[in-house]
Amino acid sequence: MVSQRIGREAGGKRKFLAIIDGTPECTRAASYAAYRAKASGGGAVLLFVIEPADFQHWLGVEKLMRAEAQEEAENALAKVAEDLREVVGIEPEGVIREGKIIEEIHAQIEADREIAILVLAAGEAGEGPGPLVSAVAGKGAAFPIPVTIVPASLTDEEIISLC
């Protein structure tokens, strides 16, 4: 059970959560989230999850790998945020979490009670729906808020017309 969302009537703003994971389609989800946020007077949150399974090494190596993963996450968020600032004209929030992706998405939704919609992008048709969309379709990954799935093939113009 997720905490009650803080809506506009309670002084909050609707936030759209997009996951930045290095897949080509994640930028489509981020664009859609930003355009929807701008159109509705809300906000966009970009979440990058560092998977912990990569750090099962000796302490020194683990620290180095963790630092590299943190830097990669910061760079990925900064790139997408810069694009959204320039193209959409919105300042997204960036969040980095470490853990299993589905658990951390749930944790972020719980931590930020203004997040009202999770935005994911489907992979290109020939490659399948993508790892996150597949996880959402699987058992045990149901989210306590609506999920919008954006086709990866949408252009910015098409996204704008939908938002």
Side-chain angles (χ1 to χ4, degrees), residues 11-22:
K13 63 180 178 179
R14 179 186 309 151
K15 292 183 183 178
F16 297 82
L17 175 63
I19 312 306
I20 306 304
D21 61 2

Side-chain angles (χ1 to χ4, degrees), residues 29-144:
S31 291
Y32 184 87
Y35 280 113
R36 280 294 314 269
K38 184 175 182 178
S40 66
V45 179
L46 307 176
L47 173 63
F48 191 105
V49 178
I50 300 170
E51 298 276 352
D54 297 338
F55 306 126
Q56 305 295 327
H57 299 284
W58 296 289
L59 186 59
V61 174
E62 178 182 345
K63 284 183 180 181
L64 180 61
M65 289 178 72
R66 194 171 253 123
E68 288 174 354
Q70 180 73 25
E71 183 177 354
E72 176 188 332
E74 290 169 358
N75 290 339
L77 286 176
K79 167 93 174 83
V80 174
E82 179 181 339
D83 291 345
L84 295 178
R85 275 192 297 278
E86 290 177 12
V87 176
V88 183
I90 192 169
E91 183 64 43
E93 298 174 39
V95 177
I96 299 172
R97 298 182 78 100
E98 186 178 319
K100 295 182 180 180
I101 187 124
I102 299 299
E103 292 174 6
E104 294 306 320
I105 293 170
H106 278 280
Q108 185 61 34
I109 292 167
E110 182 64 26
D112 186 342
R113 294 179 46 215
E114 291 181 309
I115 293 174
I117 298 173
L118 172 60
V119 181
L120 303 176
E124 295 294 332
E127 301 172 9
L132 280 177
V133 174
S134 295
V136 168
K139 295 183 180 194
F143 292 99

Side-chain angles (χ1 to χ4, degrees), residues 3-16:
S3 297
Q4 180 68 35
R5 304 288 87 195
I6 300 173
R8 288 181 277 220
E9 66 281 349
K13 63 180 178 179
R14 179 186 309 151
K15 292 183 183 178
F16 297 82

